[in-house]
Amino acid sequence: MKSSFKLLILISVFFFTLTAKAKSDGFDEPYRPQFHFTPAENWMNDPNGLIYFEGEYHLFYQHNPNGKEWGFMHWGHAVSPDLVHWEHLPLAIYPDNESTDKEFATAFSGSAIVDRNNLLGKQQGELPTLLAFYTSKDNGQRIAYSTDKGRSWEKYEGNPVIAFDEEDDARDPKVFWHEDSQRYVMVLWRMPEGQKSNQGISIYSSENLTDWTHESHLAGFYECPDLVELPVNRRADDTRWVIFDGDGSYLIGDFDGKRFKPETPKMQGDFGKNFYATQTFNNLPDEQNRTIQLAWMRGGEYPDMAFNGQMTFPTELALKKYLEGIRLVRTPVKEIELLHEKGHSWENENLIPGLNKNLTRKIKGDCLHIKGTFDLKTVNSFGFVVRNSRKETGVEIRYDATKQVLSCMGQGVLLSPEDNKIQLEILIDRTSIELFGNDGKAVLSSCYTADPEAQQLILYNTGGELLVEQLEIYPLKSMYELD
Ligand code: FRU
């Protein structure tokens, strides 16, 4: 082979390796989460239209394409093969009002379903139509449809399917198929006759997706309702329905297709600073046998970034029986492991305070997945300090064993040890920390900003001995890393 040709090959291999390791353009800013979904630029709030269809997870979201503040809502759109790597697609749903400076008829939150039986009559060929139910601001509940796997959207000519009534504010339709009653169900936030005290979730049913019958109303909720059936202790023959409020709080009960009968009071779903507008995915394949929820991390800050907003990492929902009753538990989807770099693990390490045996001194990073089981022995408190450096104290994650409180960033939740042990799973990204205690019984989702250089992780205990029964820590790759 001629040496100049060899050189050319060598140079191309070198550049190929270089680009393959590189991150795609512009997604590596200091406050850009690396495994939480963010819009490429501008404002984002609620997740909308979450659905799995033809091998893709669709994530639509409330989006202002014109600025970093809320306003002029559209549905942004992204797809993923695995809930971890997201590809941005063009805007999906535009306001029903063509003018660019009016809030009237902008595209507010909603949900998506697959029109399996072609009830809207829009199907072309074999591929079923996707329908998005959205609120057109002050303009009723409406449908947009897509016959090409969500790549382009048309507005249904029979809109609105539920008319606007100015005495009766309503928004955020979540639609799903209810097997037992063989009907579609819509849960919709409403303030009937403008009475604040009566604002809550209205339940509608439909056989054809366009005529909706009002069935019942449950007061005491605000925005973004959701309603799902979940097995208790993983037993398919023992299920309950869970109704969600916009802030992720929930009630457990029974649902007959028309009416939700609560069996519990309202309970808080997340104890962190930044968790709002939850929604579960529709149409997950039966074999996945799981329910996945996403929320907007409302109130996060991203100084000098081109974007404003991030979603939580997707979590799996389940119900579990405890002495005090049935509770919702929430854990990150297992697909997080797709981003694992080579991990570190420890077993049966007895930590004596003062001896400063910071087990994790070798761990550095701003994207980490931590999983551990800690025997409380004689400890007063233990925890992690995240994003620490010589200059910065960092963010503290703490379990106070005397008060039985798990806390992070000034927010706390009571969590009793099980068998004198506390289990923690923690997702750390550049601007968010999600903390799951005792297999998702207590969850705190919060945003933070830290000095980009502060990357040290400290494990500490005070007052007595702590047995680290098991600890695994994985640095996480960026979803933007091409490999
Ligand atoms: C919740 C919410 C929804 C509404 C949307 C508008 O954050 O207020 O009720 O549809 O945001 O962006």
Side-chain angles (χ1 to χ4, degrees), residues 162-175:
I162 297 180
F164 176 66
D165 174 351
E166 63 181 42
E167 299 291 295
D168 188 328
D169 202 3
R171 60 177 177 267
D172 310 338
K174 173 78 197 285
V175 175

Side-chain angles (χ1 to χ4, degrees), residues 43 45-46 62 70 73 107-110 135 171-172 189 222-224 276-277 296 298:
W43 171 268
N45 55 296
D46 317 353
Q62 285 289 281
W70 182 90
M73 296 329 284
F108 272 24
S109 285
T135 300
R171 60 177 177 267
D172 310 338
W189 177 80
Y222 184 60
E223 301 187 327
C224 302
Y276 197 71
W296 164 43
R298 182 173 68 177

Side-chain angles (χ1 to χ4, degrees), residues 314-476:
T315 52
E316 187 176 338
L317 304 181
L319 293 174
K320 210 166 154 185
K321 259 187 200 154
Y322 295 94
L323 284 176
E324 65 268 31
I326 301 175
R327 297 287 179 273
L328 184 76
V329 293
R330 198 150 57 79
T331 46
V333 296
K334 62 176 184 329
E335 283 88 340
I336 186 68
E337 292 171 12
L338 295 171
L339 298 178
H340 278 182
E341 305 260 30
K342 195 171 166 313
H344 305 259
S345 65
W346 297 266
E347 259 178 42
N348 295 323
E349 292 276 355
N350 200 45
L351 302 187
I352 301 169
L355 292 190
N356 197 18
K357 191 180 169 191
N358 175 21
L359 271 194
T360 59
R361 62 187 163 274
K362 289 211 180 105
I363 311 281
K364 276 202 166 61
D366 53 11
C367 292
L368 299 171
H369 182 198
I370 303 176
K371 266 172 124 170
T373 308
F374 305 88
D375 189 322
L376 299 176
K377 290 188 81 181
T378 53
V379 86
N380 281 347
S381 72
F382 79 95
F384 290 94
V385 179
V386 178
R387 305 295 304 269
N388 166 268
S389 72
R390 285 217 183 116
K391 280 192 270 162
E392 303 289 329
T393 5
V395 179
E396 191 180 353
I397 291 166
R398 179 187 188 85
Y399 183 72
D400 184 325
T402 48
K403 297 195 182 120
Q404 304 200 335
V405 171
L406 179 65
S407 63
C408 184
M409 296 183 225
Q411 304 285 118
V413 51
L414 273 176
L415 181 68
S416 24
E418 289 171 17
D419 216 6
N420 206 41
K421 289 173 198 166
I422 287 290
Q423 188 270 352
L424 296 180
E425 179 163 6
I426 308 167
L427 296 179
I428 297 164
D429 202 339
R430 282 190 187 164
T431 46
S432 54
I433 296 180
E434 284 150 320
L435 170 58
F436 303 83
N438 284 357
D439 299 301
K441 190 181 185 196
V443 189
L444 295 99
S445 305
S446 300
C447 295
Y448 73 104
T449 47
D451 172 2
E453 303 299 318
Q455 305 248 338
Q456 198 67 50
L457 180 74
I458 298 170
L459 169 61
Y460 72 90
N461 54 313
T462 66
E465 286 179 31
L466 175 79
L467 178 70
V468 180
E469 211 177 79
Q470 239 208 343
L471 179 62
E472 291 168 60
I473 303 183
Y474 299 92
L476 293 170

Side-chain angles (χ1 to χ4, degrees), residues 9-26:
I9 291 182
L10 268 174
I11 291 173
S12 341
V13 168
F14 174 74
F15 277 108
F16 178 78
T17 329
L18 208 70
T19 45
K21 281 258 172 269
K23 297 189 178 159
S24 53
D25 276 358

Side-chain angles (χ1 to χ4, degrees), residues 60-229:
F60 301 88
Y61 54 92
Q62 285 289 281
H63 186 46
N64 178 2
N66 296 340
K68 288 200 279 177
E69 303 307 321
W70 182 90
F72 193 47
M73 296 329 284
H74 291 58
W75 279 30
H77 189 196
V79 288
S80 169
D82 56 14
L83 289 167
V84 170
H85 298 89
W86 293 97
E87 178 193 346
H88 289 284
L89 293 180
L91 287 169
I93 300 179
Y94 285 73
D96 290 303
N97 148 36
E98 312 264 295
S99 147
T100 53
D101 60 355
K102 291 206 181 90
E103 287 298 336
F104 169 73
T106 49
F108 272 24
S109 285
S111 56
I113 59 155
V114 179
D115 188 3
R116 290 260 168 248
N117 300 314
N118 194 19
L119 294 172
L120 219 68
K122 301 296 181 189
Q123 187 169 324
Q124 286 172 14
E126 295 295 303
L127 189 73
T129 316
L130 276 179
L131 306 188
F133 287 80
Y134 67 100
T135 300
S136 185
K137 182 163 167 38
D138 299 336
N139 198 27
Q141 313 310 319
R142 293 180 174 240
I143 299 178
Y145 63 90
S146 167
T147 54
D148 58 1
K149 298 210 297 184
R151 270 39 183 194
S152 64
W153 292 82
E154 303 281 335
K155 303 282 172 66
Y156 171 55
E157 67 283 0
N159 280 334
V161 288
I162 297 180
F164 176 66
D165 174 351
E166 63 181 42
E167 299 291 295
D168 188 328
D169 202 3
R171 60 177 177 267
D172 310 338
K174 173 78 197 285
V175 175
F176 61 94
W177 171 249
H178 184 249
E179 190 63 33
D180 284 0
S181 64
Q182 291 287 298
R183 279 184 171 72
Y184 289 94
V185 169
M186 179 194 291
V187 282
L188 184 68
W189 177 80
R190 269 181 71 222
M191 198 195 286
E193 288 147 24
Q195 286 179 328
K196 223 173 172 184
S197 59
N198 200 21
Q199 65 181 344
I201 300 176
S202 273
I203 295 177
Y204 294 75
S205 75
S206 174
E207 285 181 352
N208 62 6
L209 289 168
T210 52
D211 298 306
W212 290 91
T213 308
H214 181 256
E215 302 287 2
S216 62
H217 183 79
L218 197 64
F221 295 81
Y222 184 60
E223 301 187 327
C224 302
D226 202 354
L227 180 56
V228 288
E229 188 178 21

Side-chain angles (χ1 to χ4, degrees), residues 229-241 289 316-321 326 329:
E229 188 178 21
L230 293 171
V232 180
N233 288 359
R234 300 193 173 276
R235 284 184 46 183
D237 60 345
D238 186 16
T239 65
R240 298 288 187 287
W241 285 82
N289 199 13
E316 187 176 338
L317 304 181
L319 293 174
K320 210 166 154 185
K321 259 187 200 154
I326 301 175
V329 293

